[in-house]
Amino acid sequence: MTIKDAQVSARSGRGIYDSHGAHRSPVAADYERLFQSGMVVLDTNVLLNLYRSNERTRRDTLAVLNKLRDRLWVPHQVLTEFWRNRESKSVRHHHSTKAKETSTALDRARRSAQDAVDRWVKDVRLKDGEEVTQRIDEGLKALGEALDGLRETVEAQAQRDALMGTAETHTDPVLTELEPLLDRRIGEPLSAADHDKAVQEAQERAAEETPPGYEDFKNKPPEQAAGDYLLWVQLLREAKDRACDVLLVTGDVKKDWWHTRDGDIPARPRSELVVELREHAGVRLYMLTPAELLTRAEELLEGLQVDEDSVNDLEQLRGADREEDAIEAGWTEESLRAFVGELGKRYQAQAKVIVAAAANGGFVDRATVYELAGYPGDRQLKGFTRPVSTVSRELEDQGVLSGEEPFLLHTIYGSMDEPSWATGFRIPAEAVPLLCEIYEGGALWPNPHRHAPEDEVDDPKETEHGGSQ
């Protein structure tokens, strides 16, 4: 080959759609081809949304999936996440949970209105019996009746939308539909060695923000945060074996899967994912949300009629599974402040221990618990976490907590001499920075020098998590 030929070849080797066409917008013909000969991969949210949806949306979704049944494939990681999340309140009891949240908000509105009016009456020094106070009382009564009516409407609708029979697997209508639909369409799990290797790779990729799944490493433990990458590894393998293009249907709309939607420009898969699949399996990656799948299916598949409201319902549910997927990610600064504040009013020892654990990176040992609580040495720690359960349950009933927050104080048992003794207590890792942000330097924050002699202060970096001596 001459130099001129090489230059021509180099010039003709690339085009505007470099990177395996990763930036090309899909057209209707692409989806028609996928529906006929591609691999349609379902993410966990597609399955969990069957519980969260109302009857109409559930029926339309299942109709589309049944039309595509010969093309469907589900990574084993999706199955694992499905069973882990299926029984959470926000999945099986989605409608009653949302109704409860709404009722709680209506109650807060009633109290807020009452408090605001009471403050105003006090500030302007109105007296009982005046015409204006009578009109205020009448207005508050009318407001209360209106809010009660709204509550009844919400609760009645939740009862109509509730999915019955899900407590037992053999009476669960969703499982009844999914069992034949997904029969022999579930992928194999990774071997133990491949699983461990993939988790390590996921951590390394997350450090470089290589998609997918790096966002999850910001608030989940590594084993759980690696879920998206485990799914991706299984998808890569199956796509290579089948040698066909892939349509991934997912409600996960985080930026570690998608390029951000911008105005009238639809979202598309991250170009890194398109390139990786092309290089690994020689095929193209496409992605749709569950709502978009219904829309495309109605356009391209014969005999399908999808209610527009079903599409809108799935649009509202978009991304919900990633909030439920990790129970470990349930605490917020607001909910922690409310919880520890209430706990501290009634059970100050437990509140001190939780904050001390945060100050120590997540763990507090037995000796520190006795010191913080002021307990005598012969007192047992049995039942120490019970007040945490009590306050959690009460705040959940009041709607302050969702019920999906991870339990905040776990007992760590065991020592050489007394394996049934509590050697200390641990809090969830994701609660540590939030608690530090809220309480560092405050009244509950432990004195960092409490164990040090007056002429010696330990380096806090040398403090290790440990049990009692």
Side-chain angles (χ1 to χ4, degrees):
M1 178 182 293
T2 66
I3 295 178
K4 183 176 181 179
D5 289 338
Q7 291 172 338
V8 171
S9 176
R11 287 198 302 271
S12 63
R14 296 183 182 274
I16 189 66
Y17 290 112
D18 193 14
S19 300
H20 302 296
H23 303 287
R24 187 188 296 274
S25 299
V27 296
D30 293 318
Y31 296 113
E32 187 172 14
R33 185 184 71 256
L34 286 162
F35 290 163
Q36 292 174 355
S37 60
M39 180 171 69
V40 180
V41 181
L42 305 182
D43 198 1
T44 314
N45 39 66
V46 180
L47 307 182
L48 294 179
N49 280 349
L50 294 171
Y51 291 98
R52 300 184 182 112
S53 302
N54 57 37
E55 176 61 28
R56 179 200 60 247
T57 305
R58 184 163 46 250
R59 183 178 62 248
D60 285 345
T61 301
L62 288 168
V64 170
L65 296 181
N66 273 288
K67 278 283 188 179
L68 296 170
R69 63 187 304 141
D70 292 337
R71 308 262 57 87
L72 296 181
W73 183 76
V74 175
H76 197 275
Q77 178 64 23
V78 166
L79 188 67
T80 299
E81 294 177 2
F82 170 79
W83 285 111
R84 185 173 69 224
N85 289 283
R86 170 186 169 272
E87 296 188 1
S88 65
K89 291 182 179 180
S90 54
V91 175
R92 280 203 312 116
H93 301 295
H94 172 80
H95 296 288
S96 61
T97 299
K98 292 301 179 183
K100 184 177 180 179
E101 291 175 1
T102 302
S103 295
T104 300
L106 293 174
D107 287 341
R108 284 199 298 266
R110 184 202 302 261
R111 291 194 298 270
S112 178
Q114 180 71 62
D115 291 344
V117 172
D118 286 347
R119 284 195 300 272
W120 177 74
V121 169
K122 182 178 179 181
D123 289 343
V124 299
R125 292 173 174 77
L126 295 177
K127 296 180 180 179
D128 292 340
E130 293 187 26
E131 180 182 355
V132 66
T133 56
Q134 292 177 353
R135 287 163 54 192
I136 288 172
D137 290 342
E138 292 171 358
L140 288 173
K141 181 180 179 182
L143 175 62
E145 292 173 350
L147 291 174
D148 287 340
L150 285 174
R151 178 203 288 270
E152 291 173 4
T153 299
V154 169
E155 292 175 350
Q157 185 63 42
Q159 291 179 4
R160 285 192 291 271
D161 290 336
L163 188 59
M164 307 305 294
T166 61
E168 302 284 348
T169 57
H170 60 273
T171 59
D172 186 330
V174 171
L175 295 178
T176 299
E177 295 281 353
L178 288 180
E179 185 177 12
L181 180 66
L182 300 181
D183 185 36
R184 289 176 293 182
R185 295 183 174 91
I186 306 289
E188 293 295 322
L190 298 176
S191 67
D194 286 347
H195 178 278
D196 293 345
K197 178 183 177 183
V199 171
Q200 179 62 37
E201 289 173 350
Q203 295 181 72
E204 294 170 356
R205 290 167 66 112
E208 299 176 357
E209 294 198 347
T210 301
Y214 61 80
E215 287 288 304
D216 289 336
F217 278 87
K218 296 178 181 179
N219 56 15
K220 301 178 187 177
E223 182 69 26
Q224 194 172 25
D228 280 3
Y229 183 65
L230 293 173
L231 179 156
W232 181 243
V233 169
Q234 294 169 7
L235 184 154
L236 289 172
R237 292 185 177 187
E238 189 70 13
K240 186 174 183 179
D241 289 344
R242 296 197 184 196
C244 63
D245 287 348
V246 175
L247 171 61
L248 174 60
V249 184
T250 178
D252 187 345
V253 293
K254 296 195 300 296
K255 64 182 181 180
D256 54 11
W257 279 107
W258 301 85
H259 282 294
T260 306
R261 298 166 187 264
D262 184 10
D264 60 347
I265 300 177
R268 65 179 188 275
R270 286 282 295 262
S271 56
E272 299 96 322
L273 299 176
V274 177
V275 171
E276 186 172 4
L277 182 61
R278 176 70 75 180
E279 292 178 345
H280 183 87
V283 299
R284 175 73 188 270
L285 174 68
Y286 299 84
M287 285 169 52
L288 290 174
T289 67
E292 291 168 340
L293 175 68
L294 264 60
T295 300
R296 289 291 183 179
E298 185 182 30
E299 293 172 355
L300 300 171
L301 298 177
E302 292 185 5
L304 265 181
Q305 286 188 329
V306 173
D307 194 310
E308 184 178 352
D309 287 337
S310 297
V311 176
N312 294 334
D313 290 345
L314 288 176
E315 203 52 42
Q316 293 297 317
L317 286 170
R318 190 173 65 189
D321 79 306
R322 294 306 170 185
E323 306 305 321
E324 324 300 348
D325 175 41
I327 292 179
E328 299 295 334
W331 287 105
T332 65
E333 183 174 329
E334 181 182 5
S335 60
L336 277 172
R337 192 184 297 275
F339 176 80
V340 177
E342 182 63 25
L343 186 69
K345 294 176 184 177
R346 297 153 55 187
Y347 307 102
Q348 194 170 61
Q350 282 76 10
K352 287 182 177 180
V353 166
I354 287 171
V355 175
N360 193 44
F363 178 83
V364 62
D365 63 24
R366 182 185 183 90
T368 303
V369 173
Y370 275 86
E371 179 183 349
L372 290 171
Y375 290 162
D378 58 352
R379 173 167 176 165
Q380 295 184 356
L381 292 180
K382 183 177 180 180
F384 185 78
T385 63
R386 195 169 298 142
V388 178
S389 300
T390 299
V391 174
S392 296
R393 186 170 58 251
E394 292 175 357
L395 292 182
E396 181 182 342
D397 289 341
Q398 297 171 24
V400 177
L401 300 184
S402 69
E404 298 301 330
E405 295 84 1
F407 193 69
L408 198 53
L409 192 62
H410 292 278
T411 308
I412 307 301
Y413 289 102
S415 68
M416 292 295 291
D417 300 326
E418 296 286 349
S420 63
W421 272 31
T423 59
F425 297 87
R426 184 174 297 282
I427 64 174
E430 64 280 355
V432 172
L434 294 173
L435 287 165
C436 290
E437 179 70 23
I438 298 169
Y439 293 104
E440 186 170 7
L444 287 177
W445 195 255
N447 180 354
H449 309 314
R450 65 178 182 274
H451 297 302
E454 292 183 1
D455 58 347
E456 179 183 345
V457 177
D458 292 336
D459 183 345
K461 294 182 179 180
E462 296 178 357
T463 301
E464 299 291 339
H465 296 167
S468 56
Q469 298 296 319

